[in-house]
Amino acid sequence: MYQASYLKHFTGEVFLAIGCSEEEAQLASEVLVSADLRGVDSHGIARLAGYVRLYDHGRLNPKPQVRVVYETPSTAVVDGDRGLGLVVAPKAMEIAMEKAEKVGSGWVSVRNSNHFGIAGYHAMLALEKDMIGWTMTNAAPLVTPTFSLDKLLGTNPIAVAVPANEEPAFVADFASTAVAYGKFEILQRKGLPAPLGWAQDSQGNATTDSNAVKSGGGLLPLGSDREHGSHKGYGLGAIVDIFSGVLSGANFGPWVPPFATAGFMSTQQAVGLGTGHFLGAMRVDGFRPADEFKEDMDKWIRAFRGAKSVEGQKVLIPGDPEREMEAERGEKGIPLLEPVVLSLAELAKRFNIDFDVNL
């Protein structure tokens, strides 16, 4: 078990060691460890070694010049200069919020970036300004669209954060696949099979092999198969890819470069620049007074919380599990699997940074 503050400090030291500025190293570590705090272990510090490998392979610029390359009063395209997506995405969200302050909403499509961590972090930045936040990102092709044997889409997550008054904010943050690929990496570390419906093998058959994607299979869209609505997950993933990649000039579809942890994948000929994101901010008071809206959001949330539920269960609001986990791990610490601890110890040795494997 590790305290979040300890992991943030260590992560920041690693980002400093590869050349990030003090400010951006702190921001990147904040975004990364926030995933662990919220229970999204697949996108947390377990990926730190992957970012270092991106740097080693020349795909990550530790000192990017993030810039707007095209804009209107309410829209922009941002070039991330191959920077950490953990840094590029929050900066792009700031641009979206600045535009929203002026004209009611702001929409930013990002090119030439890298993996940006959990989508929910960036969407939640809008909450402090009484705005609704939207974030999406495309990702390496691990997903087989409905009836396809070819992997053409990424896990392509969507996050939407909506402020409330007395109730906690509504925060929906989910992949457009049955699960994120990081869940398979966790199962692989534990030597466990995957639940049926997460992946298919190279012949298109449902499988519980947690290594299926590495051996020619693919992740399944949200819904798993046609009878259970996989065409809807496919559609959501396609929307994210178009908004993040085609709209910005980033790579898209089968050409999105793999994250460094997906070592079994080969990089395809590029059709754009890096990985793409899409971020948006909408002023609530562009529609109605913010206080009135947030009071009604409280009513909306309480109606769902008060719903009659299945015995032994309760109806959750999007964001509840992560919020509850954040409270628990903020107090008790963050559990890390042994393979993750060992990878952090290797980074500590390489960069001569203190790291305790026996906390």
Side-chain angles (χ1 to χ4, degrees):
M1 301 291 285
Y2 289 80
Q3 290 299 314
S5 57
Y6 184 90
L7 294 180
K8 287 179 185 177
H9 174 75
F10 175 78
T11 303
E13 290 295 304
V14 171
F15 285 133
L16 283 173
I18 65 173
C20 295
S21 68
E22 181 78 35
E23 178 184 357
E24 294 188 352
Q26 289 182 3
L27 175 57
S29 63
E30 167 70 24
V31 177
L32 200 63
V33 178
S34 72
D36 292 298
L37 274 171
R38 292 175 66 79
V40 190
D41 298 340
S42 57
H43 285 56
I45 199 168
R47 288 188 176 262
L48 181 57
Y51 290 106
V52 174
R53 283 196 288 276
L54 284 178
Y55 168 75
D56 289 341
H57 295 161
R59 289 176 49 199
L60 174 65
N61 178 6
K63 288 186 168 65
Q65 298 298 312
V66 180
R67 60 194 177 94
V68 173
V69 294
Y70 181 85
E71 67 179 325
T72 72
S74 63
T75 65
V77 173
V78 165
D79 189 294
D81 195 24
R82 296 184 298 110
L84 279 164
L86 304 168
V87 170
V88 175
K91 290 188 175 185
M93 192 56 165
E94 287 294 333
I95 294 169
M97 291 188 292
E98 288 170 8
K99 290 183 175 294
E101 289 279 8
K102 296 175 182 177
V103 298
S105 67
W107 306 94
V108 177
S109 199
V110 179
R111 71 187 191 195
N112 209 12
S113 185
N114 283 291
H115 190 278
F116 78 0
I118 58 169
Y121 178 93
H122 313 299
M124 290 171 67
L125 293 174
L127 295 175
E128 296 180 5
K129 298 181 179 292
D130 277 349
M131 295 182 184
I132 295 171
W134 297 67
T135 52
M136 310 175 188
T137 184
N138 65 11
L142 297 170
V143 183
T144 50
T146 304
F147 303 137
S148 175
L149 292 178
D150 290 331
K151 295 187 281 288
L152 298 172
L153 289 171
T155 53
N156 296 7
I158 301 169
V160 178
V162 183
N165 186 26
E166 295 178 355
E167 295 292 336
F170 172 106
V171 183
D173 181 0
F174 56 92
S176 55
T177 48
V179 292
Y181 182 69
K183 297 291 179 64
F184 283 86
E185 293 175 326
I186 291 172
L187 292 175
Q188 290 161 14
R189 294 184 195 110
K190 294 180 176 180
L192 296 175
L196 200 63
W198 283 17
Q200 67 181 32
D201 63 20
S202 59
Q203 302 303 309
N205 302 308
T207 180
T208 60
D209 181 5
S210 59
N211 290 287
V213 181
K214 290 183 176 181
S215 54
L219 294 180
L220 291 170
L222 186 63
S224 298
D225 56 37
R226 178 64 176 80
E227 288 70 26
H228 294 91
S230 66
H231 57 293
K232 298 177 183 180
Y234 167 25
L236 286 172
I239 290 168
V240 172
D241 197 39
I242 293 167
F243 278 43
S244 301
V246 183
L247 194 59
S248 69
N251 289 291
F252 49 82
W255 297 282
V256 179
F259 187 62
T261 54
F264 58 93
M265 298 182 68
S266 58
T267 302
Q268 302 294 316
Q269 181 68 37
V271 295
L273 296 172
T275 298
H277 319 311
F278 185 81
L279 306 97
M282 302 165 56
R283 272 173 50 182
V284 168
D285 65 4
F287 299 87
R288 59 183 299 205
D291 288 344
E292 291 182 8
F293 170 82
K294 291 194 292 184
E295 287 174 2
D296 277 354
M297 275 302 299
D298 281 353
K299 294 175 185 175
W300 188 96
I301 290 169
R302 288 164 184 162
F304 282 78
R305 292 201 195 285
K308 186 176 181 179
S309 61
V310 175
E311 185 176 354
Q313 301 293 333
K314 62 179 179 179
V315 177
L316 298 173
I317 304 300
D320 279 351
E322 294 88 348
R323 179 176 51 82
E324 292 169 4
M325 184 63 75
E326 187 171 14
E328 178 181 327
R329 290 187 170 184
E331 178 183 350
K332 298 180 180 179
I334 297 169
L336 298 182
L337 295 172
E338 183 179 8
V340 176
V341 174
L342 293 176
S343 76
L344 299 181
E346 290 177 3
L347 291 175
K349 182 178 180 180
R350 170 178 170 177
F351 295 118
N352 195 28
I353 301 170
D354 289 336
F355 179 72
D356 195 334
V357 298
N358 295 309
L359 284 180

